[in-house]
Amino acid sequence: MNGNIVAPSILPGFMELLPADQMLFNKMLDTIRFTYEKYGFIPIDTPMIEKSEILLAKSGGETEKQVYRFSKGDNDLSLRFDLTVPLARYVAQHYNELTFPFRRYHIGKVFRGERPQKGRFREFYQCDIDIVGSESLSVINDAEILSVIYSTFKALGFQSFTIRINNRKILNGFFSWLGVENKTEVLRTIDKMEKIGEQNTARELEALGLSAGVAQEIIRLTKIKGKGDEIVESLKGMKVENEEFSTGLEELSQVCSYIGYFGIPEDNFSVDLTIARGLDYYTGTVYETVLNDYPSIGSVCSGGRYDNLAQNYTNKKLPGVGISIGLTRLFYQLREAKIVEPYGRSTPTKLLVIPMPDAMNYCLDISTRARENGIPTEVYFNEGRMGKKLAYADKLGIPFVVVVGEDEIKTGLFKLKNMKTGEQETLSLEEIIEKLKLV
RNA sequence: GUGGAUAUAGCCCAGUUGGUUAGAGCGCCAGGUUGUGGCCCUGGAGGCCGUGGGUUCGAGUCCCACUAUUCACCCCA
C-alpha cells in the first residue's frame, strides 16, 4: 500500500471523455467547423484568460458572480465566460486591421463558476459565429445566420429540428405601448412561459407589478401562432402604435421573406413570440433551436442581434448578429438520450501492422508507405502471443490488420484481415493502400 | 445563493429483524504452449463498506455530525 497515492478525480462540472466518446465529440466539432467555413466565416482564437477589467467592463451582476477570477502577482485576471466579450475586445483592438462586415467563427472552451447540474458545465465548448458590421449591418445577415444553423444541424445528422426566432423590438415595443416599466424582467418571464405554463406566467407577471389586464394582453400577443408571414400579418393588424414595435415587425418581416431564398424548409423554421432570451444585450432578432423529438433538451443553439457589440472598448458603433452552440452540453444530452453513440472506434488507426520475428524493419517501412498515402497506421511493437496482438486491434476497433512475416516479405503478398468479418484477402502492398484509402 | 436526495470493488449493484472470513455481474490482468481477436473455460488482483463520533456484547446495517457527490430553483450554452 502506498500512502502517497492521491485519489484521481476531476472537479465536478468538468467533462472528460473516454476515447470512443472523444472521437465522436471531435467528429461533431469538425462537422461544425467545416460548415462554418463553408459560409466563409473566419477562424479566430483568443486567450482563455483576459484582464478582469476587460471581461467585466459590462458586468451585469449575474455574470460577475459566475466568473472565475484570480490574481497572479499584481494582475487581476479572469477566465472568459463566453466568446462574445472576447470578440468585442478583439474587434475593437484590431479594428483597423479587420475587414467589415467581419464574419468570424470561434470554437473554444469557456468557464462559468456556477453550481453544476444535469447538462450544466463549468467548463464547456462554445461554437460561435458572429457577423459584425461597422456602423450598420443588413438584416439579411439575420436570415443568413438561420441558414448557417440549419446547415450545421443538418450536417450533424439531424432531420427534425426547429429554429425559432423572434424580435426583441416587437416585445419591447409592445411592452412600452402597454406602459410596462421593468421590461427586462417581463422578457425573462415570457421566455419561461413554455416551461412554466400560461397560468404561472400570468401570476409571475402580476407579481412583477403588472395589472391582470396588461398581463393578459402580453400573453395574448405571445400566443399568436402560424407561419412566419401569417404572424407578421396578425401583428400588423393589431395597430400597435409604437415605433420600436413597427421597426421590429419590419425586421421580422424581412427575415421571413429571405429565409426561403436561403433554402430553409418551412418545417425547420418558426416564428415564436415567446422567445425572448435572457441576455440583455440582444436588441433585435433572437434565435433558439430545439430538437423536435427531444424537447426536454431545450435550446441547443441560441443567439441574436445586438446593436452595439463593443461599446465598452471603442466609440465605433459595431452592430452584429450571431449564435452559439453549446457543444459540451449538446454532446452530453445527445449521449444521455442515446441519440448518438460511439461507432466502435476508439482510435483513428485504420491499419495495424503486426510484425513476426525479424520483420520489424520491413513493417516500419510498410507503415511509412501507408501513412504517406494518408492511412492512419500503427505497428504493434510489443512481443507476445498473436492472440493478444489481435485483441489489441479488436479492442480499439482498428478495422484492418496485416501480419507480416518471412513469407510475406519473400512474396510481397500480404493477407489483409478485416477485423469485422474475419475474412482475409491476399493483396500486394499497393492494393492494400488503394483499398484502405477508400475506407 | 435556496431546497431535496444519495454514499459498499474501476463500473452497475446485492447484502435478511444488527451476528463470524463482505458477494455476484461487467471490466481489468494471467493462463487454456507454435502466425489469428470476438465466444467459452480456469485462475488472479482489486473494498478500513465516504470520514468522524454515538447506541450495542457485536454496526456495511440503527442515530448524529461532517465531507463528497447528485438533482431541482435562479441563470444560462
Side-chain angles (χ1 to χ4, degrees):
Chain A
M1 275 319 235
N2 185 344
N4 296 325
I5 288 181
V6 178
S9 66
I10 59 171
L11 291 163
F14 288 71
M15 187 172 83
E16 182 172 83
L17 301 172
L18 289 171
D21 277 320
Q22 190 70 58
M23 297 267 296
L24 201 59
F25 181 91
N26 286 11
K27 201 176 164 190
M28 289 181 70
L29 205 141
D30 289 345
T31 301
I32 293 169
R33 177 185 296 120
F34 180 76
T35 309
Y36 286 178
E37 293 204 352
K38 220 162 54 173
Y39 280 82
F41 286 87
I42 300 162
I44 71 164
D45 194 14
T46 67
M48 292 200 190
I49 301 173
E50 295 265 2
K51 295 173 183 171
S52 297
E53 63 186 84
I54 294 284
L55 227 46
L56 303 171
K58 185 159 195 175
S59 161
E62 273 303 324
T63 49
E64 185 154 3
K65 267 188 271 175
Q66 296 188 347
V67 170
Y68 280 105
R69 188 174 183 178
F70 55 97
S71 57
K72 179 79 178 167
D74 291 334
N75 298 319
D76 182 359
L77 308 170
S78 294
L79 294 176
R80 64 187 181 200
F81 58 88
D82 70 9
L83 299 176
T84 306
V85 173
L87 170 66
R89 191 224 79 225
Y90 183 95
V91 171
Q93 185 175 337
H94 304 295
Y95 181 83
N96 292 320
E97 285 86 13
L98 298 176
T99 305
F100 291 87
F102 180 51
R103 301 157 66 84
R104 85 89 174 81
Y105 78 90
H106 190 174
I107 297 173
K109 281 180 171 178
V110 303
F111 305 84
R112 291 185 196 174
E114 53 186 338
R115 279 279 244 283
Q117 207 181 126
K118 199 178 181 62
R120 266 289 172 82
F121 296 91
R122 302 207 273 207
E123 175 192 66
F124 57 96
Y125 277 92
Q126 283 197 324
C127 309
D128 278 33
I129 50 169
D130 284 89
I131 305 169
V132 181
S134 184
E135 291 302 322
S136 69
L137 186 71
S138 162
V139 74
I140 305 177
N141 290 283
D142 295 36
E144 191 191 37
I145 290 285
L146 275 162
S147 173
V148 181
I149 299 174
Y150 171 74
S151 297
T152 303
F153 280 89
K154 203 76 181 167
L156 286 171
F158 296 103
Q159 302 300 327
S160 181
F161 58 90
T162 306
I163 309 163
R164 303 190 294 188
I165 69 160
N166 191 8
N167 192 301
R168 274 258 183 113
K169 293 192 179 86
I170 293 176
L171 293 178
N172 275 327
F174 191 70
F175 298 164
S176 297
W177 184 61
L178 292 172
V180 173
E181 298 279 336
N182 42 355
K183 288 185 259 184
T184 308
E185 279 106 325
V186 174
L187 269 182
R188 292 225 173 105
T189 307
I190 294 303
D191 197 51
K192 284 193 293 184
M193 183 149 89
E194 188 176 28
K195 192 173 172 185
I196 65 176
E198 193 180 319
Q199 300 217 331
N200 289 324
T201 305
R203 210 166 297 147
E204 284 201 23
L205 287 177
E206 286 170 43
L208 288 172
L210 308 199
S211 73
V214 168
Q216 283 312 315
E217 280 293 308
I218 290 172
I219 289 172
R220 208 157 60 84
L221 174 88
T222 60
K223 278 170 71 179
I224 297 172
K225 302 289 174 198
K227 290 181 185 169
D229 302 338
E230 294 167 1
I231 292 181
V232 168
E233 285 311 310
S234 302
L235 290 174
K236 278 181 182 161
M238 289 179 73
K239 305 279 182 237
V240 174
E241 286 166 26
N242 178 280
E243 204 184 319
E244 190 179 10
F245 182 92
S246 305
T247 309
L249 191 48
E250 179 53 29
E251 289 175 4
L252 182 66
S253 167
Q254 286 197 45
V255 172
C256 287
S257 67
Y258 278 117
I259 58 159
Y261 297 106
F262 275 106
I264 301 164
E266 258 181 28
D267 287 352
N268 293 292
F269 165 79
S270 87
V271 173
D272 185 331
L273 296 170
T274 66
I275 305 298
R277 307 302 307 156
L279 292 176
D280 48 2
Y281 56 72
Y282 293 133
T283 52
T285 308
V286 284
Y287 309 88
E288 253 184 41
T289 305
V290 290
L291 306 179
N292 297 334
D293 299 328
Y294 307 91
S296 62
I297 288 179
S299 176
V300 294
C301 168
S302 33
R305 158 77 82 141
Y306 37 86
D307 276 344
N308 205 345
L309 175 69
Q311 56 190 328
N312 298 301
Y313 317 111
T314 178
N315 290 325
K316 302 253 170 18
K317 194 182 173 218
L318 303 169
V321 58
I323 53 95
S324 178
I325 300 174
L327 185 57
T328 301
R329 177 189 277 181
L330 176 61
F331 181 82
Y332 173 86
Q333 305 268 38
L334 294 176
R335 286 288 289 123
E336 194 76 0
K338 299 199 188 300
I339 302 167
V340 298
E341 303 219 48
Y343 42 97
R345 296 277 299 273
S346 40
T347 171
T349 301
K350 281 187 182 162
L351 176 65
L352 179 69
V353 184
I354 299 179
M356 295 310 292
D358 300 322
M360 184 61 80
N361 295 351
Y362 195 85
C363 286
L364 293 176
D365 191 47
I366 290 176
S367 68
T368 303
R369 293 271 304 279
R371 289 180 195 125
E372 281 169 356
N373 283 279
I375 300 163
T377 304
E378 63 182 299
V379 180
Y380 195 91
F381 294 139
N382 284 0
E383 301 283 337
R385 340 174 84 259
M386 181 57 62
K388 202 174 166 181
K389 297 171 185 176
L390 286 167
Y392 175 82
D394 190 44
K395 281 197 277 190
L396 291 183
I398 298 171
F400 292 95
V401 166
V402 62
V403 179
V404 179
E406 221 179 313
D407 293 347
E408 285 81 2
I409 295 175
K410 211 175 290 170
T411 61
L413 291 174
F414 306 89
K415 287 194 212 100
L416 181 69
K417 184 180 174 83
N418 180 324
M419 290 298 287
K420 204 161 195 172
T421 63
E423 285 162 8
Q424 304 202 98
E425 202 178 350
T426 304
L427 300 167
S428 69
L429 180 55
E430 287 70 27
E431 289 169 326
I432 289 175
I433 287 172
E434 286 314 306
K435 187 181 166 90
L436 294 191
K437 267 191 194 170
L438 304 173
V439 178

